[in-house]
Every structure is written in structure tokens, then in C-alpha cells.
PDB file of all heavy atoms in Angstrom:
ATOM      1  N   LYS J   1     104.576 100.041  72.731  1.00 85.00           N
ATOM      2  CA  LYS J   1     104.555 100.051  71.281  1.00 85.00           C
ATOM      3  C   LYS J   1     105.805 100.710  70.727  1.00 85.00           C
ATOM      4  O   LYS J   1     106.154 101.812  71.124  1.00 85.00           O
ATOM      5  CB  LYS J   1     103.298 100.806  70.781  1.00 85.00           C
ATOM      6  CG  LYS J   1     103.186 100.810  69.265  1.00 85.00           C
ATOM      7  CD  LYS J   1     101.925 101.561  68.845  1.00 85.00           C
ATOM      8  CE  LYS J   1     101.790 101.569  67.328  1.00 85.00           C
ATOM      9  NZ  LYS J   1     100.556 102.333  66.885  1.00 85.00           N
ATOM     10  N   GLY J   2     106.522 100.028  69.883  1.00 81.00           N
ATOM     11  CA  GLY J   2     107.774 100.549  69.359  1.00 81.00           C
ATOM     12  C   GLY J   2     108.999 100.044  70.061  1.00 81.00           C
ATOM     13  O   GLY J   2     110.123 100.303  69.610  1.00 81.00           O
ATOM     14  N   ALA J   3     108.826  99.288  71.162  1.00 84.00           N
ATOM     15  CA  ALA J   3     109.975  98.723  71.850  1.00 84.00           C
ATOM     16  C   ALA J   3     110.531  97.538  71.045  1.00 84.00           C
ATOM     17  O   ALA J   3     109.805  96.874  70.319  1.00 84.00           O
ATOM     18  CB  ALA J   3     109.570  98.271  73.261  1.00 84.00           C
ATOM     19  N   PRO J   4     111.836  97.242  71.199  1.00 83.00           N
ATOM     20  CA  PRO J   4     112.427  96.101  70.490  1.00 83.00           C
ATOM     21  C   PRO J   4     111.748  94.805  70.909  1.00 83.00           C
ATOM     22  O   PRO J   4     111.306  94.637  72.051  1.00 83.00           O
ATOM     23  CB  PRO J   4     113.891  96.122  70.952  1.00 83.00           C
ATOM     24  CG  PRO J   4     114.132  97.495  71.414  1.00 83.00           C
ATOM     25  CD  PRO J   4     112.829  97.994  71.956  1.00 83.00           C
ATOM     26  N   LEU J   5     111.665  93.863  69.955  1.00 84.00           N
ATOM     27  CA  LEU J   5     110.980  92.598  70.227  1.00 84.00           C
ATOM     28  C   LEU J   5     111.665  91.840  71.355  1.00 84.00           C
ATOM     29  O   LEU J   5     111.010  91.153  72.158  1.00 84.00           O
ATOM     30  CB  LEU J   5     110.976  91.730  68.971  1.00 84.00           C
ATOM     31  CG  LEU J   5     110.094  92.243  67.808  1.00 84.00           C
ATOM     32  CD1 LEU J   5     110.221  91.328  66.597  1.00 84.00           C
ATOM     33  CD2 LEU J   5     108.621  92.351  68.242  1.00 84.00           C
ATOM     34  N   GLU J   6     113.000  91.952  71.460  1.00 82.00           N
ATOM     35  CA  GLU J   6     113.718  91.248  72.499  1.00 82.00           C
ATOM     36  C   GLU J   6     113.297  91.715  73.913  1.00 82.00           C
ATOM     37  O   GLU J   6     113.342  90.967  74.889  1.00 82.00           O
ATOM     38  CB  GLU J   6     115.224  91.446  72.351  1.00 82.00           C
ATOM     39  CG  GLU J   6     115.819  90.882  71.061  1.00 82.00           C
ATOM     40  CD  GLU J   6     115.586  91.780  69.868  1.00 82.00           C
ATOM     41  OE1 GLU J   6     115.120  92.934  70.086  1.00 82.00           O
ATOM     42  OE2 GLU J   6     115.878  91.362  68.747  1.00 82.00           O
ATOM     43  N   ALA J   7     112.871  92.989  73.978  1.00 81.00           N
ATOM     44  CA  ALA J   7     112.499  93.542  75.293  1.00 81.00           C
ATOM     45  C   ALA J   7     111.049  93.177  75.673  1.00 81.00           C
ATOM     46  O   ALA J   7     110.632  93.452  76.786  1.00 81.00           O
ATOM     47  CB  ALA J   7     112.650  95.075  75.260  1.00 81.00           C
ATOM     48  N   LEU J   8     110.319  92.590  74.756  1.00 85.00           N
ATOM     49  CA  LEU J   8     108.912  92.274  75.019  1.00 85.00           C
ATOM     50  C   LEU J   8     108.679  90.850  75.476  1.00 85.00           C
ATOM     51  O   LEU J   8     107.535  90.417  75.603  1.00 85.00           O
ATOM     52  CB  LEU J   8     108.102  92.557  73.749  1.00 85.00           C
ATOM     53  CG  LEU J   8     108.119  94.014  73.254  1.00 85.00           C
ATOM     54  CD1 LEU J   8     107.245  94.170  72.021  1.00 85.00           C
ATOM     55  CD2 LEU J   8     107.680  94.976  74.339  1.00 85.00           C
ATOM     56  N   SER J   9     109.748  90.083  75.668  1.00 85.00           N
ATOM     57  CA  SER J   9     109.601  88.733  76.158  1.00 85.00           C
ATOM     58  C   SER J   9     109.650  88.741  77.670  1.00 85.00           C
ATOM     59  O   SER J   9     110.661  89.097  78.266  1.00 85.00           O
ATOM     60  CB  SER J   9     110.724  87.855  75.590  1.00 85.00           C
ATOM     61  OG  SER J   9     111.989  88.352  75.976  1.00 85.00           O
ATOM     62  N   ALA J  10     108.547  88.397  78.327  1.00 90.00           N
ATOM     63  CA  ALA J  10     108.467  88.413  79.784  1.00 90.00           C
ATOM     64  C   ALA J  10     107.605  87.248  80.225  1.00 90.00           C
ATOM     65  O   ALA J  10     106.377  87.282  80.014  1.00 90.00           O
ATOM     66  CB  ALA J  10     107.902  89.747  80.256  1.00 90.00           C
ATOM     67  N   ASN J  11     108.199  86.243  80.827  1.00 89.00           N
ATOM     68  CA  ASN J  11     107.440  85.034  81.204  1.00 89.00           C
ATOM     69  C   ASN J  11     106.597  85.236  82.422  1.00 89.00           C
ATOM     70  O   ASN J  11     105.777  84.375  82.790  1.00 89.00           O
ATOM     71  CB  ASN J  11     108.363  83.833  81.396  1.00 89.00           C
ATOM     72  CG  ASN J  11     109.489  84.119  82.345  1.00 89.00           C
ATOM     73  OD1 ASN J  11     109.486  85.125  83.079  1.00 89.00           O
ATOM     74  ND2 ASN J  11     110.480  83.242  82.394  1.00 89.00           N
ATOM     75  N   ALA J  12     106.749  86.370  83.161  1.00 91.00           N
ATOM     76  CA  ALA J  12     105.915  86.665  84.319  1.00 91.00           C
ATOM     77  C   ALA J  12     105.057  87.881  84.107  1.00 91.00           C
ATOM     78  O   ALA J  12     104.534  88.465  85.060  1.00 91.00           O
ATOM     79  CB  ALA J  12     106.787  86.838  85.573  1.00 91.00           C
ATOM     80  N   GLY J  13     104.903  88.296  82.879  1.00 91.00           N
ATOM     81  CA  GLY J  13     104.022  89.415  82.557  1.00 91.00           C
ATOM     82  C   GLY J  13     104.680  90.766  82.664  1.00 91.00           C
ATOM     83  O   GLY J  13     105.894  90.872  82.807  1.00 91.00           O
ATOM     84  N   PHE J  14     103.841  91.788  82.636  1.00 94.00           N
ATOM     85  CA  PHE J  14     104.281  93.195  82.630  1.00 94.00           C
ATOM     86  C   PHE J  14     103.574  93.960  83.737  1.00 94.00           C
ATOM     87  O   PHE J  14     102.357  93.902  83.873  1.00 94.00           O
ATOM     88  CB  PHE J  14     104.012  93.847  81.284  1.00 94.00           C
ATOM     89  CG  PHE J  14     104.708  93.185  80.124  1.00 94.00           C
ATOM     90  CD1 PHE J  14     104.182  92.031  79.526  1.00 94.00           C
ATOM     91  CD2 PHE J  14     105.876  93.699  79.623  1.00 94.00           C
ATOM     92  CE1 PHE J  14     104.804  91.424  78.476  1.00 94.00           C
ATOM     93  CE2 PHE J  14     106.535  93.100  78.544  1.00 94.00           C
ATOM     94  CZ  PHE J  14     106.011  91.953  77.990  1.00 94.00           C
ATOM     95  N   VAL J  15     104.350  94.677  84.510  1.00 93.00           N
ATOM     96  CA  VAL J  15     103.799  95.499  85.599  1.00 93.00           C
ATOM     97  C   VAL J  15     103.931  96.968  85.214  1.00 93.00           C
ATOM     98  O   VAL J  15     105.032  97.417  84.789  1.00 93.00           O
ATOM     99  CB  VAL J  15     104.544  95.246  86.909  1.00 93.00           C
ATOM    100  CG1 VAL J  15     103.962  96.127  88.026  1.00 93.00           C
ATOM    101  CG2 VAL J  15     104.450  93.787  87.293  1.00 93.00           C
ATOM    102  N   THR J  16     102.871  97.714  85.361  1.00 93.00           N
ATOM    103  CA  THR J  16     102.854  99.140  84.987  1.00 93.00           C
ATOM    104  C   THR J  16     102.492  99.992  86.182  1.00 93.00           C
ATOM    105  O   THR J  16     101.499  99.716  86.892  1.00 93.00           O
ATOM    106  CB  THR J  16     101.834  99.399  83.857  1.00 93.00           C
ATOM    107  OG1 THR J  16     102.139  98.574  82.733  1.00 93.00           O
ATOM    108  CG2 THR J  16     101.862 100.841  83.447  1.00 93.00           C
ATOM    109  N   PHE J  17     103.301 101.014  86.437  1.00 93.00           N
ATOM    110  CA  PHE J  17     103.028 101.995  87.477  1.00 93.00           C
ATOM    111  C   PHE J  17     102.835 103.362  86.802  1.00 93.00           C
ATOM    112  O   PHE J  17     103.499 103.683  85.806  1.00 93.00           O
ATOM    113  CB  PHE J  17     104.206 102.133  88.474  1.00 93.00           C
ATOM    114  CG  PHE J  17     104.406 100.906  89.323  1.00 93.00           C
ATOM    115  CD1 PHE J  17     105.370  99.985  88.993  1.00 93.00           C
ATOM    116  CD2 PHE J  17     103.647 100.695  90.457  1.00 93.00           C
ATOM    117  CE1 PHE J  17     105.597  98.857  89.766  1.00 93.00           C
ATOM    118  CE2 PHE J  17     103.846  99.561  91.245  1.00 93.00           C
ATOM    119  CZ  PHE J  17     104.813  98.652  90.901  1.00 93.00           C
ATOM    120  N   VAL J  18     101.927 104.163  87.351  1.00 93.00           N
ATOM    121  CA  VAL J  18     101.722 105.514  86.880  1.00 93.00           C
ATOM    122  C   VAL J  18     102.113 106.476  88.012  1.00 93.00           C
ATOM    123  O   VAL J  18     101.477 106.467  89.081  1.00 93.00           O
ATOM    124  CB  VAL J  18     100.256 105.770  86.435  1.00 93.00           C
ATOM    125  CG1 VAL J  18     100.117 107.201  85.924  1.00 93.00           C
ATOM    126  CG2 VAL J  18      99.877 104.768  85.378  1.00 93.00           C
ATOM    127  N   ILE J  19     103.168 107.239  87.780  1.00 93.00           N
ATOM    128  CA  ILE J  19     103.679 108.149  88.801  1.00 93.00           C
ATOM    129  C   ILE J  19     103.167 109.570  88.521  1.00 93.00           C
ATOM    130  O   ILE J  19     103.333 110.104  87.441  1.00 93.00           O
ATOM    131  CB  ILE J  19     105.238 108.170  88.794  1.00 93.00           C
ATOM    132  CG1 ILE J  19     105.771 106.728  88.843  1.00 93.00           C
ATOM    133  CG2 ILE J  19     105.780 108.949  89.957  1.00 93.00           C
ATOM    134  CD1 ILE J  19     105.374 105.938  90.064  1.00 93.00           C
ATOM    135  N   PHE J  20     102.546 110.163  89.557  1.00 92.00           N
ATOM    136  CA  PHE J  20     102.029 111.502  89.484  1.00 92.00           C
ATOM    137  C   PHE J  20     102.928 112.456  90.296  1.00 92.00           C
ATOM    138  O   PHE J  20     103.737 112.001  91.104  1.00 92.00           O
ATOM    139  CB  PHE J  20     100.596 111.570  89.972  1.00 92.00           C
ATOM    140  CG  PHE J  20      99.622 110.825  89.102  1.00 92.00           C
ATOM    141  CD1 PHE J  20      99.138 109.575  89.452  1.00 92.00           C
ATOM    142  CD2 PHE J  20      99.203 111.401  87.892  1.00 92.00           C
ATOM    143  CE1 PHE J  20      98.213 108.906  88.645  1.00 92.00           C
ATOM    144  CE2 PHE J  20      98.294 110.723  87.083  1.00 92.00           C
ATOM    145  CZ  PHE J  20      97.832 109.479  87.453  1.00 92.00           C
ATOM    146  N   PRO J  21     102.765 113.784  90.109  1.00 90.00           N
ATOM    147  CA  PRO J  21     103.629 114.715  90.865  1.00 90.00           C
ATOM    148  C   PRO J  21     103.596 114.532  92.373  1.00 90.00           C
ATOM    149  O   PRO J  21     104.615 114.737  93.041  1.00 90.00           O
ATOM    150  CB  PRO J  21     103.072 116.092  90.446  1.00 90.00           C
ATOM    151  CG  PRO J  21     102.528 115.875  89.064  1.00 90.00           C
ATOM    152  CD  PRO J  21     101.963 114.469  89.078  1.00 90.00           C
ATOM    153  N   ARG J  22     102.470 114.107  92.921  1.00 90.00           N
ATOM    154  CA  ARG J  22     102.391 113.944  94.384  1.00 90.00           C
ATOM    155  C   ARG J  22     103.305 112.817  94.882  1.00 90.00           C
ATOM    156  O   ARG J  22     103.629 112.789  96.081  1.00 90.00           O
ATOM    157  CB  ARG J  22     100.940 113.669  94.808  1.00 90.00           C
ATOM    158  CG  ARG J  22     100.417 112.316  94.364  1.00 90.00           C
ATOM    159  CD  ARG J  22      98.991 112.100  94.888  1.00 90.00           C
ATOM    160  NE  ARG J  22      98.468 110.774  94.581  1.00 90.00           N
ATOM    161  CZ  ARG J  22      97.781 110.506  93.485  1.00 90.00           C
ATOM    162  NH1 ARG J  22      97.547 111.479  92.606  1.00 90.00           N
ATOM    163  NH2 ARG J  22      97.329 109.282  93.254  1.00 90.00           N
ATOM    164  N   HIS J  23     103.707 111.923  94.010  1.00 91.00           N
ATOM    165  CA  HIS J  23     104.569 110.804  94.406  1.00 91.00           C
ATOM    166  C   HIS J  23     106.035 111.179  94.429  1.00 91.00           C
ATOM    167  O   HIS J  23     106.854 110.372  94.884  1.00 91.00           O
ATOM    168  CB  HIS J  23     104.369 109.616  93.467  1.00 91.00           C
ATOM    169  CG  HIS J  23     102.965 109.114  93.448  1.00 91.00           C
ATOM    170  ND1 HIS J  23     102.259 108.875  92.281  1.00 91.00           N
ATOM    171  CD2 HIS J  23     102.114 108.804  94.485  1.00 91.00           C
ATOM    172  CE1 HIS J  23     101.053 108.443  92.565  1.00 91.00           C
ATOM    173  NE2 HIS J  23     100.926 108.388  93.894  1.00 91.00           N
ATOM    174  N   VAL J  24     106.394 112.362  93.937  1.00 90.00           N
ATOM    175  CA  VAL J  24     107.821 112.737  93.856  1.00 90.00           C
ATOM    176  C   VAL J  24     108.057 114.103  94.486  1.00 90.00           C
ATOM    177  O   VAL J  24     109.091 114.731  94.228  1.00 90.00           O
ATOM    178  CB  VAL J  24     108.297 112.737  92.392  1.00 90.00           C
ATOM    179  CG1 VAL J  24     108.343 111.326  91.836  1.00 90.00           C
ATOM    180  CG2 VAL J  24     107.411 113.607  91.508  1.00 90.00           C
ATOM    181  N   GLU J  25     107.170 114.542  95.337  1.00 88.00           N
ATOM    182  CA  GLU J  25     107.333 115.842  95.994  1.00 88.00           C
ATOM    183  C   GLU J  25     108.305 115.712  97.158  1.00 88.00           C
ATOM    184  O   GLU J  25     108.208 114.797  97.985  1.00 88.00           O
ATOM    185  CB  GLU J  25     105.999 116.360  96.478  1.00 88.00           C
ATOM    186  CG  GLU J  25     105.024 116.695  95.336  1.00 88.00           C
ATOM    187  CD  GLU J  25     103.646 117.056  95.857  1.00 88.00           C
ATOM    188  OE1 GLU J  25     103.384 116.783  97.074  1.00 88.00           O
ATOM    189  OE2 GLU J  25     102.827 117.600  95.084  1.00 88.00           O
ATOM    190  N   GLY J  26     109.238 116.666  97.260  1.00 84.00           N
ATOM    191  CA  GLY J  26     110.159 116.712  98.417  1.00 84.00           C
ATOM    192  C   GLY J  26     110.973 115.460  98.561  1.00 84.00           C
ATOM    193  O   GLY J  26     111.616 114.960  97.625  1.00 84.00           O
ATOM    194  N   LYS J  27     110.947 114.908  99.790  1.00 85.00           N
ATOM    195  CA  LYS J  27     111.746 113.723 100.114  1.00 85.00           C
ATOM    196  C   LYS J  27     111.210 112.449  99.479  1.00 85.00           C
ATOM    197  O   LYS J  27     111.879 111.426  99.502  1.00 85.00           O
ATOM    198  CB  LYS J  27     111.820 113.559 101.638  1.00 85.00           C
ATOM    199  CG  LYS J  27     112.559 114.658 102.337  1.00 85.00           C
ATOM    200  CD  LYS J  27     112.662 114.407 103.844  1.00 85.00           C
ATOM    201  CE  LYS J  27     113.432 115.511 104.542  1.00 85.00           C
ATOM    202  NZ  LYS J  27     113.533 115.255 106.016  1.00 85.00           N
ATOM    203  N   LYS J  28     109.990 112.497  98.924  1.00 88.00           N
ATOM    204  CA  LYS J  28     109.445 111.322  98.278  1.00 88.00           C
ATOM    205  C   LYS J  28     110.211 110.954  97.001  1.00 88.00           C
ATOM    206  O   LYS J  28     110.178 109.798  96.558  1.00 88.00           O
ATOM    207  CB  LYS J  28     107.974 111.546  97.909  1.00 88.00           C
ATOM    208  CG  LYS J  28     107.036 111.708  99.081  1.00 88.00           C
ATOM    209  CD  LYS J  28     105.629 111.941  98.627  1.00 88.00           C
ATOM    210  CE  LYS J  28     104.662 112.127  99.784  1.00 88.00           C
ATOM    211  NZ  LYS J  28     103.283 112.377  99.310  1.00 88.00           N
ATOM    212  N   LEU J  29     110.927 111.923  96.437  1.00 90.00           N
ATOM    213  CA  LEU J  29     111.643 111.668  95.191  1.00 90.00           C
ATOM    214  C   LEU J  29     112.670 110.572  95.329  1.00 90.00           C
ATOM    215  O   LEU J  29     112.726 109.614  94.537  1.00 90.00           O
ATOM    216  CB  LEU J  29     112.310 112.956  94.706  1.00 90.00           C
ATOM    217  CG  LEU J  29     113.163 112.829  93.437  1.00 90.00           C
ATOM    218  CD1 LEU J  29     112.337 112.391  92.248  1.00 90.00           C
ATOM    219  CD2 LEU J  29     113.873 114.147  93.133  1.00 90.00           C
ATOM    220  N   ASP J  30     113.519 110.665  96.365  1.00 88.00           N
ATOM    221  CA  ASP J  30     114.551 109.651  96.590  1.00 88.00           C
ATOM    222  C   ASP J  30     113.965 108.260  96.772  1.00 88.00           C
ATOM    223  O   ASP J  30     114.424 107.281  96.205  1.00 88.00           O
ATOM    224  CB  ASP J  30     115.409 110.018  97.797  1.00 88.00           C
ATOM    225  CG  ASP J  30     116.275 111.241  97.557  1.00 88.00           C
ATOM    226  OD1 ASP J  30     116.520 111.546  96.377  1.00 88.00           O
ATOM    227  OD2 ASP J  30     116.699 111.882  98.524  1.00 88.00           O
ATOM    228  N   ARG J  31     112.905 108.176  97.550  1.00 89.00           N
ATOM    229  CA  ARG J  31     112.277 106.873  97.820  1.00 89.00           C
ATOM    230  C   ARG J  31     111.652 106.310  96.560  1.00 89.00           C
ATOM    231  O   ARG J  31     111.757 105.083  96.318  1.00 89.00           O
ATOM    232  CB  ARG J  31     111.222 107.048  98.927  1.00 89.00           C
ATOM    233  CG  ARG J  31     110.574 105.749  99.360  1.00 89.00           C
ATOM    234  CD  ARG J  31     109.706 105.996 100.581  1.00 89.00           C
ATOM    235  NE  ARG J  31     108.676 107.002 100.321  1.00 89.00           N
ATOM    236  CZ  ARG J  31     107.967 107.588 101.255  1.00 89.00           C
ATOM    237  NH1 ARG J  31     108.163 107.299 102.524  1.00 89.00           N
ATOM    238  NH2 ARG J  31     107.047 108.497 100.915  1.00 89.00           N
ATOM    239  N   THR J  32     111.047 107.155  95.727  1.00 91.00           N
ATOM    240  CA  THR J  32     110.433 106.676  94.500  1.00 91.00           C
ATOM    241  C   THR J  32     111.490 106.209  93.503  1.00 91.00           C
ATOM    242  O   THR J  32     111.323 105.136  92.883  1.00 91.00           O
ATOM    243  CB  THR J  32     109.570 107.790  93.864  1.00 91.00           C
ATOM    244  OG1 THR J  32     108.589 108.237  94.823  1.00 91.00           O
ATOM    245  CG2 THR J  32     108.894 107.307  92.600  1.00 91.00           C
ATOM    246  N   VAL J  33     112.566 106.942  93.384  1.00 91.00           N
ATOM    247  CA  VAL J  33     113.663 106.554  92.466  1.00 91.00           C
ATOM    248  C   VAL J  33     114.229 105.207  92.875  1.00 91.00           C
ATOM    249  O   VAL J  33     114.423 104.295  92.059  1.00 91.00           O
ATOM    250  CB  VAL J  33     114.769 107.610  92.464  1.00 91.00           C
ATOM    251  CG1 VAL J  33     116.025 107.088  91.753  1.00 91.00           C
ATOM    252  CG2 VAL J  33     114.280 108.880  91.795  1.00 91.00           C
ATOM    253  N   TRP J  34     114.480 105.020  94.168  1.00 90.00           N
ATOM    254  CA  TRP J  34     115.054 103.765  94.644  1.00 90.00           C
ATOM    255  C   TRP J  34     114.039 102.589  94.493  1.00 90.00           C
ATOM    256  O   TRP J  34     114.441 101.506  94.046  1.00 90.00           O
ATOM    257  CB  TRP J  34     115.470 103.881  96.118  1.00 90.00           C
ATOM    258  CG  TRP J  34     115.952 102.615  96.703  1.00 90.00           C
ATOM    259  CD1 TRP J  34     115.367 101.868  97.668  1.00 90.00           C
ATOM    260  CD2 TRP J  34     117.174 101.923  96.387  1.00 90.00           C
ATOM    261  NE1 TRP J  34     116.134 100.774  97.994  1.00 90.00           N
ATOM    262  CE2 TRP J  34     117.255 100.783  97.208  1.00 90.00           C
ATOM    263  CE3 TRP J  34     118.218 102.195  95.499  1.00 90.00           C
ATOM    264  CZ2 TRP J  34     118.297  99.882  97.136  1.00 90.00           C
ATOM    265  CZ3 TRP J  34     119.273 101.285  95.441  1.00 90.00           C
ATOM    266  CH2 TRP J  34     119.322 100.157  96.252  1.00 90.00           C
ATOM    267  N   SER J  35     112.819 102.814  94.803  1.00 90.00           N
ATOM    268  CA  SER J  35     111.812 101.751  94.728  1.00 90.00           C
ATOM    269  C   SER J  35     111.639 101.294  93.283  1.00 90.00           C
ATOM    270  O   SER J  35     111.495 100.068  93.018  1.00 90.00           O
ATOM    271  CB  SER J  35     110.475 102.227  95.293  1.00 90.00           C
ATOM    272  OG  SER J  35     110.599 102.551  96.675  1.00 90.00           O
ATOM    273  N   LEU J  36     111.600 102.209  92.343  1.00 92.00           N
ATOM    274  CA  LEU J  36     111.459 101.836  90.931  1.00 92.00           C
ATOM    275  C   LEU J  36     112.725 101.163  90.390  1.00 92.00           C
ATOM    276  O   LEU J  36     112.659 100.199  89.644  1.00 92.00           O
ATOM    277  CB  LEU J  36     111.105 103.044  90.089  1.00 92.00           C
ATOM    278  CG  LEU J  36     109.714 103.663  90.344  1.00 92.00           C
ATOM    279  CD1 LEU J  36     109.541 104.951  89.529  1.00 92.00           C
ATOM    280  CD2 LEU J  36     108.619 102.665  89.957  1.00 92.00           C
TER     281      LEU J  36
END
């Protein structure tokens, strides 16, 4: 909500991830940054 209309056009839908602190602890941070 509030994003530009041009950014809301997606012909394959929208994927949402929810990242919690356990996903970015220690060495997991680098892997999470790269994967996203």
C-alpha cells in the first residue's frame, strides 16, 4: 500500500517472505542477503 502504480504490475503475481531474527543470526546473514 502506497507503492507506485508502475511497481504493482506483475504478470506472475507477488511473492512475500517474512524474515525473523533467527534467519539472520551469525553466518545466516550473508546467505539470506544473497538469496533475497
Side-chain angles (χ1 to χ4, degrees):
K1 182 180 180 180
L5 292 177
E6 297 79 8
L8 299 181
S9 59
N11 54 12
F14 298 81
V15 180
T16 303
F17 293 99
V18 181
I19 310 299
F20 293 103
R22 68 176 184 271
H23 300 131
V24 291
E25 295 174 345
K27 295 182 178 180
K28 294 180 182 179
L29 176 63
D30 291 339
R31 186 171 57 194
T32 303
V33 169
W34 176 249
S35 298
L36 291 174

